[in-house]
């Protein structure tokens, strides 16, 4: 009997619906190749949800996501909703989705595709072959710790306070996600902290080291965050998988992403407890200036679908097929406008999808 997987589709705003159409076509083609079925249910989020329901994350959308095996999210936001109060902005839908699904681990790959290596601002010999996965803790640390706020002291001087805090269980669960991720890759994990200064980082290092005992086949190393930032720029190929807290991960994942030279090619994943649906989405935004013009690059969303198969549904064969197809269409010289270079073939969103389908059907 064919296994059926329920996928919640959240096309969102701007170019979201265009790139979602391509990702669905790719997934349907891959499903035939690997003998599974995907059952898609579409729901609104972000600006389009505000227009339809007055809320960036309708309760019905969250319920559909909770009842799915995985969630494929495209992009949210746009100029149209920029004047709304902060609590009503489209981005609140994403925060609500993360909270509603209990997503605590963010996976951000930074892979230098050989066809696009010259798009990086670093020298070819430095970045060529780089393939990094940053695992960022998403729901703890200084962004959520209490107390926080701006307080006025007895002398009338204001004082800003944020609290960096992690419990043992919070560190343990993100460490396990990171070790499991490293096992799927090169079995090397670097934990990044600031344990020479911060007590919270001392606890972080102690717990990551303790969890490592359950993963003897994964090589564990530790770096202070300032050194890690320097090493990402100096010699990025030394890294395979990096795990770190919310603040450090926010900064390092963006730094690693820019090694690739094109944010339009980068997928991401947000994961919760095992067996619960994760959210898979491209790193880029909704690009409202080109929405509806068939100019969008769908490859980051297609690669997000590949991450969904690998990390969300445990279908690595399907993920491999998608990633190889992306490499092949780039080898054949197809480029959307954001990654166009001299001598290549300029195509739109639809044509890029057609090229992917053609390659997948050749296999």
């Amino acid at each position: 009997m064919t296994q059926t997987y329920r996928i919640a589709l959240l096309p969102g705003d701007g170019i979201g619906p265009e790139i979602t159409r391509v990702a669905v076509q790719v997934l349907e083609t891959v499903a035939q190749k690997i003998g599974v079925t995907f059952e898609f249910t579409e729901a609104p989020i972000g600006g389009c949800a505000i227009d339809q329901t007055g809320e960036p994350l309708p309760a019905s959308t969250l319920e559909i996501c909770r009842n799915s095996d995985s969630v494929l999210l495209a992009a949210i936001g746009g100029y149209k909703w920029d004047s709304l109060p902060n609590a009503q902005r489209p981005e609140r839908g994403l925060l609500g989705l993360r909270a509603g699904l209990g997503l605590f681990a963010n996976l951000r790959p930074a892979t230098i595709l050989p066809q696009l290596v010259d798009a990086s601002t670093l020298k070819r010999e430095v970045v060529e072959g780089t393939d990094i996965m940053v695992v960022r803790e998403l729901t703890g640390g200084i962004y959520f710790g209490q107390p926080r706020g701006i307080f006025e002291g007895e002398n009338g001087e204001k004082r800003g306070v944020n609290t960096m805090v992690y419990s043992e269980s919070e560190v343990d669960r993100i460490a396990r996600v990171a070790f499991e991720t490293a096992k799927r890759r090169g079995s090397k994990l670097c934990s990044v902290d600031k344990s020479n200064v911060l007590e919270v980082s001392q606890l972080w290092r102690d717990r990551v080291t303790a969890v490592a005992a359950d993963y003897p086949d994964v090589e564990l190393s530790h770096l202070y965050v300032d050194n890690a930032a320097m090493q990402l720029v100096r010699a990025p190929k030394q890294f395979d998988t990096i795990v770190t807290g919310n603040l450090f991960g926010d900064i390092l994942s963006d730094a690693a992403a820019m090694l690739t030279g094109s944010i339009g090619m980068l997928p991401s994943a947000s994961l919760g407890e095992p067996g619960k649906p994760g959210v898979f989405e491209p790193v880029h935004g909704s690009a409202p200036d080109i929405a509806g013009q068939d100019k969008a690059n769908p490859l980051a969303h297609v690669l997000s679908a590949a991450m969904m198969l690998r990390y969300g549904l445990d279908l690595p064969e399907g993920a491999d097929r998608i990633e190889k197809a992306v490499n092949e269409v780039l080898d054949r010289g197809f480029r959307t406008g954001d990654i166009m270079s001299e001598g290549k073939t300029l195509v739109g969103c639809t044509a890029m999808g057609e090229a992917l389908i053609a390659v997948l059907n050749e296999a």
Side-chain angles (χ1 to χ4, degrees):
M1 187 175 178
T2 303
Q3 176 73 47
T4 298
Y5 296 91
R6 296 163 298 168
I7 311 299
L9 283 182
L10 308 181
D13 308 316
I15 62 172
E18 300 167 68
I19 61 175
T20 297
R21 280 193 292 272
V22 173
V24 168
Q25 291 166 0
V26 167
L27 285 168
E28 288 176 338
T29 303
V30 168
Q32 295 173 7
K33 301 292 183 181
I34 64 175
V36 300
T37 300
F38 296 123
E39 182 181 284
F40 299 103
T41 303
E42 189 171 317
I45 190 173
C48 67
I50 292 171
D51 289 347
Q52 293 177 35
T53 71
E55 302 175 274
L57 180 66
S60 57
T61 294
L62 183 57
E63 190 64 20
I64 287 170
C65 292
R66 284 174 170 161
N67 291 327
S68 298
D69 296 307
S70 202
V71 180
L72 192 60
L73 168 67
I76 59 173
Y79 313 132
K80 179 180 179 181
W81 305 282
D82 281 350
S83 60
L84 290 175
N86 211 31
Q88 300 170 26
R89 296 277 293 273
E91 293 76 13
R92 288 287 169 178
L94 179 57
L95 296 176
L97 184 65
R98 289 174 177 169
L101 296 180
L103 307 176
F104 63 85
N106 182 235
L107 275 60
R108 284 272 299 270
T111 303
I112 307 294
L113 297 176
Q115 305 88 344
L116 303 177
V117 66
D118 291 324
S120 176
T121 54
L122 297 185
K123 295 177 181 178
R124 172 184 281 264
E125 59 267 29
V126 173
V127 296
E128 192 167 28
T130 295
D131 183 4
I132 301 170
M133 180 71 78
V134 179
V135 180
R136 168 191 171 191
E137 201 286 325
L138 204 55
T139 59
I142 199 166
Y143 292 167
F144 295 92
Q146 297 291 340
R148 62 181 295 160
I150 298 175
F151 307 97
E152 189 171 313
E154 292 181 1
N155 63 356
E157 184 180 18
K158 289 183 178 178
R159 192 164 160 262
V161 176
N162 289 93
T163 304
M164 183 181 282
V165 56
Y166 274 116
S167 65
E168 289 181 312
S169 60
E170 286 177 310
V171 180
D172 286 4
R173 69 180 185 176
I174 191 67
R176 292 192 182 282
V177 170
F179 278 107
E180 292 291 340
T181 301
K183 278 175 61 177
R184 291 187 173 104
R185 293 170 47 82
S187 291
K188 287 175 57 180
L189 178 63
C190 178
S191 177
V192 174
D193 58 44
K194 194 62 177 169
S195 58
N196 57 334
V197 175
L198 302 174
E199 285 81 3
V200 64
S201 280
Q202 293 170 13
L203 176 68
W204 178 282
R205 184 172 291 209
D206 289 346
R207 294 313 307 164
V208 172
T209 301
V211 173
D214 294 334
Y215 297 89
D217 296 332
V218 177
E219 176 189 331
L220 174 64
S221 61
H222 302 272
L223 280 181
Y224 299 139
V225 64
D226 43 355
N227 190 22
M230 181 178 68
Q231 295 298 329
L232 271 176
V233 178
R234 188 189 74 84
K237 285 180 280 191
Q238 69 183 281
F239 295 106
D240 178 75
T241 306
I242 295 171
V243 63
T244 190
N246 209 342
L247 173 62
F248 301 156
D250 194 358
I251 297 166
L252 293 181
S253 61
D254 279 356
M258 285 317 299
L259 296 173
T260 69
S262 177
I263 199 169
M265 292 293 299
L266 300 177
S268 74
S270 296
L271 307 177
E273 296 294 344
K276 298 294 179 65
V279 173
F280 301 83
E281 60 180 307
V283 172
H284 63 68
S286 63
D289 53 319
I290 61 168
Q293 300 176 39
D294 197 35
K295 293 181 178 179
N297 182 352
L299 295 181
H301 202 33
V302 168
L303 290 170
S304 297
M307 285 192 77
M308 180 180 73
L309 299 189
R310 189 179 306 282
Y311 296 102
L313 303 179
D314 196 22
L315 296 171
E317 181 190 348
D320 289 343
R321 285 176 180 266
I322 292 175
E323 290 164 358
K324 288 176 182 176
V326 169
N327 270 289
E328 181 60 26
V329 296
L330 292 174
D331 278 343
R332 296 181 186 184
F334 295 108
R335 301 287 190 274
T336 47
D338 61 310
I339 55 173
M340 184 61 183
S341 58
E342 188 176 350
K344 304 304 180 184
T345 302
L346 179 64
V347 296
C349 184
T350 301
M352 183 63 86
E354 291 169 349
L356 286 166
I357 300 302
V359 169
L360 287 166
N361 282 328
E362 291 172 6

